[in-house]
Amino acid sequence: MNTRKKAWLIIGGSAVFLGLLLAAKLLLTPKPICDPDVHAKTVIVLDHSESVPAQTIETIVDRAWQFVETNTREGELVSVYTLSQLSKSNLKPTFSACKAPEEGNRSIEDVKRLKRDFEENFKKPLVRELGSKIEDSDESPIAQALIDLSLDDKHFRSTDVTHLLVFSDFIENTPKFSMYKCNSSEKNIQLFRDSRIGSVERPSFDNADIHMNLIPRHNITRPVLECRDKFWNWFFGDTKNTNKKSGLIRDNLPG
């Protein structure tokens, strides 16, 4: 074999070897916790405007965690917002993390460590935040908060689907607008729109999977309940659901 052939064999062998190394790295390197290929997001909103019974909080925790465990993909961003009077001017997530993998590839990963990290760094802090004490507040800016969230590119908007779980009595109550004063559904909606002049009056939800979980209240009148129901039908009326996972689901909580 002449020198030229030997040189080409060496070059060819080196190229194959480097190709195999690159392929092995791609196949064996675990994905990052926040997977760049996962574009869906999960957002959980807890209305802390009024206290609720213990069984209601327990159901909130169970329902929210079951959803994350079943429907949220590994690598998907999960954010929790707790609403109070401060949410009008300082709306920030009280928890935000990507769903960590609970199991891994035994050949390249420490499976026990993965499971421990999943429990300690994702599940426990998330469940703890979901079960945090709900205390009374002078205001309940639930609609305003949802409008602000709908414009959030980092935590809410998605090119895939955004799962939005809201746990609230859905009674908007601020100095500018209060459902407790409602006598007419049509006037109620117009009053809200008037209170939003100069800003977004009604959010637009693209590919949003919305779950309304209603916290029961026993100190409100039937007209207020009717105003509430019609208001939220209007509020969530601007949707563009091109994703089959999108939709609006309403459910009640015990209490």
Side-chain angles (χ1 to χ4, degrees):
M1 183 180 293
N2 60 37
T3 303
R4 178 175 291 183
K5 286 185 178 180
K6 287 182 179 180
W8 280 112
L9 285 174
I10 292 172
I11 294 172
S14 299
V16 171
F17 179 71
L18 290 173
L20 289 174
L21 283 179
L22 180 61
K25 183 177 180 180
L26 292 173
L27 291 172
L28 299 179
T29 301
K31 291 184 178 181
I33 293 178
C34 291
D35 191 338
D37 294 327
V38 176
H39 301 290
K41 296 174 183 175
T42 296
V43 180
I44 302 170
V45 178
L46 307 173
D47 186 354
H48 278 207
S49 60
E50 292 187 45
S51 58
V52 299
Q55 67 266 30
T56 307
I57 295 179
E58 184 177 345
T59 303
I60 289 173
V61 174
D62 290 343
R63 194 175 290 182
W65 172 248
Q66 285 297 322
F67 185 93
V68 171
E69 188 175 40
T70 305
N71 297 282
T72 301
R73 296 171 59 186
E74 290 183 359
E76 181 175 329
L77 181 63
V78 179
S79 302
V80 177
Y81 290 82
T82 55
L83 302 187
S84 66
Q85 184 173 346
L86 296 176
S87 302
K88 294 192 303 179
S89 58
N90 190 29
L91 184 63
K92 294 181 179 179
T94 53
F95 172 91
S96 186
C98 294
K99 184 179 180 182
E102 189 174 3
E103 299 178 352
N105 188 333
R106 293 181 181 275
S107 63
I108 60 170
E109 296 175 288
D110 185 340
V111 176
K112 289 184 178 180
R113 182 186 61 80
L114 278 178
K115 191 172 184 63
R116 183 176 63 250
D117 288 346
F118 175 83
E119 291 286 335
E120 298 296 328
N121 299 329
F122 182 76
K123 182 177 180 179
K124 283 186 178 180
L126 173 56
V127 169
R128 183 168 57 248
E129 189 58 44
L130 293 173
S132 59
K133 185 178 180 181
I134 298 177
E135 300 178 347
D136 291 347
S137 173
D138 293 334
E139 299 180 31
S140 178
I142 178 67
Q144 177 176 322
L146 291 177
I147 290 174
D148 290 343
L149 271 178
S150 72
L151 303 172
D152 187 330
D153 292 319
K154 180 178 180 181
H155 297 98
F156 191 89
R157 286 177 170 174
S158 168
T159 56
D160 187 352
V161 61
T162 298
H163 304 290
L164 173 62
L165 285 72
V166 187
F167 297 88
S168 171
D169 59 10
F170 289 91
I171 303 292
E172 177 83 359
N173 180 36
T174 67
K176 284 189 174 182
F177 174 82
S178 176
M179 287 187 185
Y180 288 112
K181 302 175 182 178
C182 177
N183 292 311
S184 165
S185 300
E186 290 73 19
K187 289 182 179 179
N188 185 55
I189 293 171
Q190 188 57 50
L191 286 171
F192 178 79
R193 296 184 67 183
D194 291 342
S195 73
R196 299 287 302 176
I197 290 177
S199 56
V200 176
E201 296 179 12
R202 182 173 73 163
S204 178
F205 293 102
D206 295 343
N207 297 324
D209 171 36
I210 303 168
H211 296 252
M212 295 176 62
N213 296 272
L214 275 75
I215 296 174
R217 300 294 181 209
H218 304 290
N219 58 344
I220 52 179
T221 64
R222 191 173 298 278
V224 171
L225 288 176
E226 292 175 354
C227 286
R228 179 190 69 179
D229 293 345
K230 291 185 178 180
F231 173 86
W232 290 105
N233 285 339
W234 166 80
F235 186 87
F236 289 121
D238 186 7
T239 58
K240 300 177 181 65
N241 294 331
T242 57
N243 193 309
K244 292 182 179 179
K245 299 176 183 178
S246 305
L248 176 61
I249 298 174
R250 171 175 167 158
D251 202 356
N252 293 297
L253 290 161

Short mmCIF file of all heavy atoms in Angstrom, two decimals, residues 1-12:
data_model
loop_
_atom_site.label_atom_id
_atom_site.label_comp_id
_atom_site.label_asym_id
_atom_site.label_seq_id
_atom_site.Cartn_x
_atom_site.Cartn_y
_atom_site.Cartn_z
N MET A 1 0.87 -1.20 0.00
CA MET A 1 0.00 0.00 0.00
C MET A 1 0.90 1.24 0.00
O MET A 1 1.80 1.37 0.83
CB MET A 1 -0.89 0.00 1.23
CG MET A 1 -1.88 1.16 1.28
SD MET A 1 -2.89 1.10 2.78
CE MET A 1 -3.83 -0.40 2.47
N ASN A 2 0.63 2.15 -0.94
CA ASN A 2 1.48 3.33 -1.03
C ASN A 2 1.13 4.36 0.04
O ASN A 2 0.11 4.26 0.73
CB ASN A 2 1.44 3.94 -2.43
CG ASN A 2 0.02 4.36 -2.81
OD1 ASN A 2 -0.72 4.84 -1.97
ND2 ASN A 2 -0.33 4.19 -4.08
N THR A 3 1.95 5.36 0.14
CA THR A 3 1.81 6.38 1.19
C THR A 3 0.51 7.16 1.05
O THR A 3 -0.15 7.48 2.05
CB THR A 3 3.00 7.35 1.12
OG1 THR A 3 4.21 6.62 1.23
CG2 THR A 3 2.92 8.37 2.25
N ARG A 4 0.12 7.46 -0.22
CA ARG A 4 -1.10 8.24 -0.43
C ARG A 4 -2.32 7.48 0.08
O ARG A 4 -3.19 8.05 0.75
CB ARG A 4 -1.25 8.57 -1.91
CG ARG A 4 -2.52 9.35 -2.22
CD ARG A 4 -2.58 9.78 -3.65
NE ARG A 4 -1.57 10.81 -3.93
CZ ARG A 4 -1.45 11.41 -5.10
NH1 ARG A 4 -2.24 11.07 -6.11
NH2 ARG A 4 -0.51 12.33 -5.28
N LYS A 5 -2.39 6.17 -0.20
CA LYS A 5 -3.54 5.37 0.24
C LYS A 5 -3.59 5.29 1.77
O LYS A 5 -4.65 5.36 2.38
CB LYS A 5 -3.47 3.97 -0.36
CG LYS A 5 -3.81 3.91 -1.85
CD LYS A 5 -3.85 2.47 -2.34
CE LYS A 5 -4.24 2.39 -3.80
NZ LYS A 5 -4.29 0.99 -4.29
N LYS A 6 -2.42 5.13 2.37
CA LYS A 6 -2.37 5.09 3.83
C LYS A 6 -2.90 6.40 4.43
O LYS A 6 -3.63 6.42 5.43
CB LYS A 6 -0.94 4.84 4.30
CG LYS A 6 -0.45 3.43 4.07
CD LYS A 6 0.97 3.25 4.60
CE LYS A 6 1.47 1.83 4.41
NZ LYS A 6 2.85 1.66 4.93
N ALA A 7 -2.50 7.51 3.80
CA ALA A 7 -2.94 8.82 4.29
C ALA A 7 -4.46 8.95 4.22
O ALA A 7 -5.11 9.43 5.15
CB ALA A 7 -2.26 9.92 3.49
N TRP A 8 -5.04 8.51 3.09
CA TRP A 8 -6.50 8.59 2.93
C TRP A 8 -7.20 7.67 3.91
O TRP A 8 -8.28 8.02 4.44
CB TRP A 8 -6.89 8.23 1.49
CG TRP A 8 -6.70 9.37 0.53
CD1 TRP A 8 -5.80 9.46 -0.49
CD2 TRP A 8 -7.44 10.59 0.53
NE1 TRP A 8 -5.91 10.65 -1.14
CE2 TRP A 8 -6.92 11.38 -0.54
CE3 TRP A 8 -8.47 11.10 1.30
CZ2 TRP A 8 -7.41 12.64 -0.84
CZ3 TRP A 8 -8.96 12.37 1.00
CH2 TRP A 8 -8.44 13.13 -0.05
N LEU A 9 -6.65 6.51 4.16
CA LEU A 9 -7.25 5.60 5.14
C LEU A 9 -7.24 6.21 6.54
O LEU A 9 -8.20 6.10 7.30
CB LEU A 9 -6.51 4.26 5.14
CG LEU A 9 -6.79 3.33 3.95
CD1 LEU A 9 -5.89 2.10 4.00
CD2 LEU A 9 -8.27 2.89 3.97
N ILE A 10 -6.11 6.84 6.86
CA ILE A 10 -6.02 7.49 8.18
C ILE A 10 -7.03 8.62 8.30
O ILE A 10 -7.72 8.75 9.32
CB ILE A 10 -4.58 8.01 8.40
CG1 ILE A 10 -3.61 6.83 8.53
CG2 ILE A 10 -4.52 8.89 9.65
CD1 ILE A 10 -2.15 7.26 8.56
N ILE A 11 -7.14 9.43 7.26
CA ILE A 11 -8.11 10.54 7.26
C ILE A 11 -9.54 10.02 7.37
O ILE A 11 -10.36 10.51 8.14
CB ILE A 11 -7.93 11.41 6.00
CG1 ILE A 11 -6.57 12.12 6.04
CG2 ILE A 11 -9.05 12.42 5.88
CD1 ILE A 11 -6.22 12.85 4.75
N GLY A 12 -9.82 8.97 6.54
CA GLY A 12 -11.17 8.39 6.57
C GLY A 12 -11.50 7.79 7.93
O GLY A 12 -12.60 7.97 8.46
#
